[in-house]
Amino acid sequence: MSRILVTSALPYINGIKHLGNLAGSMLPADVWSRFKRAQGHELLYICATDEHGTPAELAAAAAGQDVATYCDEQHEIQKRAGEAFGLSFDWFGRSSSVQNRRLTQDFAQALEASGFIEERVDRMIYSVDDARFLPDRYVEGTCPHCAHVGARGDQCDNCGRLLDPTDLIAPYSAVSGSTALEVRDTRHLYLLQTKLEQPIRDWIESKTGWQTLAKSIALKHLDEGLIDRGITRDLKWGVPVTGPDGGPRPGMEGKVFYVWFDAPIEYIAATQEWAEATGGTWRDWWRTDEGAEDVRYVQFMGKDNVAFHTVGFPATIIGSGQPWKTVDQLKAFNWLNWYGGKFSTSQKRGVFMDQALEILPADYWRWYLTAYGPEHSDTAFTWEQFQGAINKDLADVLGNFVNRIVKFAESKFDGVVPEGGEPGPVEAQLEIDLRAAIAEATEQFEAMEFRKACQAIRAAWVLGNEYLQEAAPWTALKTDRDRAAVGVRTGLNLVALFARLAAPVLPVSAKTITASVGATDLSWPEAGEAWLDVIEPGRPIAHQGVLFAKIEDVQVADWTQRFGGAPAA
Ligand SMILES: [Zn+2]
């Protein structure tokens, strides 16, 4: 048994996340964490909301709230949505925590002491009327490339080009609308990534466990050349910039660290939050000089976040010169699209986490997004494919199997697991086939190949249906009660086994299924177990009702209207 640390990319604070965000980091991290815990490993799954930066300040202003109150509320909303989806975080923290403030300042101090941070003078836009510098999106104006009016200081929404606020024509303050803007000199801290290029490259090349997608993105980023990065901003909301001694920094009062600098440090700080709240210890998870040497650290994220986790955050860690645990394995996901386009709140395209649970239980979504997720290429969500997957995999294959055998045993064998008879060649062959399917599911989960793992789990469920067809206890009952008893007993053992296989992806349904045969064990099946001889004769069983309702065409039509579907031809 090993100790495993899992983190998933931190969801940004401004609003509830859509299904693509869920499918690309938090859900697979949860499924894999459940799989590893079910094998008996000690595992810590950490996530948090990413709360600093301009978008949070602007969203709070738009909501008429101060930013701290806005973040308090939004954090609770996201935490509740995660829990409702069965995301089994050990801790869901906040990057605005005191722990993260302290640790971010400590990292900056260590980086500066090692010569990797320096002060530079930037020319930035200052608003006379607002009495402040205006970073990024705080300046708007006319795009110099396409003449779009209302382009933001960091990017033009019309032509998509990245901008610097000083590029804008006829700029004005997004805070007050004032055009009394000047370009002024202001001091900022820079992280000298150019000096860290070789150590980062050596570190990446030493990593043998990374998937190809992650490694190739990381090396491409390095090949393009690192730049020294400004890590401070003129904002009020964030981690205050401190001096080399950890105290105030003369000339940089009122500045904070850039959100990209403090957000990943929250992985560590959230573990501190967890330790302080639960009486756990965090240092043996993160400090390789204090026990973290034997921890396996796995990160889950969307592909847009890979360069940041393989180069950006490692620059902070490696540059600190301190013995921090770094990532052993990365699992990156592609995009989940909505009918080939983007999810969009404003255009009402796509389903967001809270809406999804208004129409169907979490397990339906968890199955579809894991078994058909954007794992090796971008994938388009369509209602039709979703309907097909739920109806075939969950209703017809798993649900129908459990339903049939439990109901039959209830009505024909007095609601208990029947005794009598001996397993024969049909059961022996079933056991061989199951071994292959379960070995495949285990191997694919170990390799973090979620689609393939789900295919193998489904293949095991199919074996159950094929077995019932062949053993046909309802026919055998007319002539050979013992033979029928063997079929029913084997079928009820399969019910218990299928629940264990389903549990990482379908945690709620797995509990219901296992309860129908009076069992509670949801550990991952081990190769040496006698799977078909666990549910002993005489144990009471009880049908739990329909497990998975089929999705009807009328529902698809209704949801297409409500959430959008294929673009009109
Ligand atoms: Zn433009």
Side-chain angles (χ1 to χ4, degrees), residues 153-362:
D154 55 348
Q155 188 171 22
C156 172
D157 273 341
N158 187 50
C159 69
R161 291 222 176 91
L162 295 179
L163 300 174
D164 187 90
T166 53
D167 297 338
L168 293 168
I169 299 162
Y172 57 87
S173 163
V175 182
S176 60
S178 168
T179 55
L181 307 183
E182 303 170 354
V183 176
R184 288 192 186 176
D185 286 351
T186 178
R187 303 186 77 76
H188 279 288
L189 295 185
Y190 275 76
L191 178 60
L192 307 183
Q193 294 192 128
T194 46
K195 284 191 180 180
L196 286 159
E197 201 162 320
Q198 195 55 46
I200 292 170
R201 187 180 292 276
D202 293 344
W203 173 75
I204 291 171
E205 281 170 356
S206 76
K207 293 293 179 183
T208 49
W210 291 10
Q211 56 163 177
T212 320
L213 177 64
K215 207 159 184 169
S216 64
I217 292 175
L219 290 172
K220 180 168 174 283
H221 199 72
L222 275 181
D223 291 342
E224 286 167 358
L226 297 185
I227 54 161
D228 296 335
R229 228 187 140 99
I231 56 162
T232 51
R233 289 293 184 272
D234 293 285
L235 294 172
K236 292 192 187 71
W237 176 241
V239 175
V241 174
T242 42
D245 60 351
R249 189 174 197 109
M252 293 190 65
E253 296 86 359
K255 293 182 198 275
V256 300
F257 287 103
Y258 187 31
V259 58
W260 281 102
F261 183 70
D262 81 70
I265 296 171
E266 169 66 5
Y267 290 142
I268 307 174
T271 314
Q272 295 180 352
E273 295 167 36
W274 163 81
E276 285 174 28
T278 62
T281 55
W282 69 269
R283 302 183 75 90
D284 56 336
W285 289 99
W286 280 104
R287 293 286 298 212
T288 55
D289 57 339
E290 296 182 51
E293 198 60 79
D294 71 343
V295 169
R296 180 177 170 203
Y297 177 22
V298 186
Q299 292 177 342
F300 290 81
M301 70 199 70
K303 63 183 171 185
D304 58 325
N305 250 323
V306 172
F308 190 67
H309 282 79
T310 56
V311 178
F313 184 39
T316 298
I317 291 204
I318 293 169
S320 76
Q322 296 167 347
W324 296 104
K325 180 73 200 168
T326 56
V327 61
D328 295 305
Q329 274 171 298
L330 282 100
K331 176 70 181 180
F333 284 80
N334 290 280
W335 302 135
L336 180 72
N337 293 318
W338 189 260
Y339 286 85
K342 284 185 179 171
F343 281 78
S344 163
T345 318
S346 56
Q347 292 171 37
K348 295 199 173 174
R349 282 173 56 79
V351 176
F352 287 66
M353 285 173 70
D354 51 348
Q355 300 167 329
L357 296 181
E358 284 168 18
I359 61 175
L360 285 172

Side-chain angles (χ1 to χ4, degrees), residues 142-155:
T142 303
C143 174
H145 304 290
C146 72
H148 172 64
V149 177
R152 296 193 320 250
D154 55 348
Q155 188 171 22

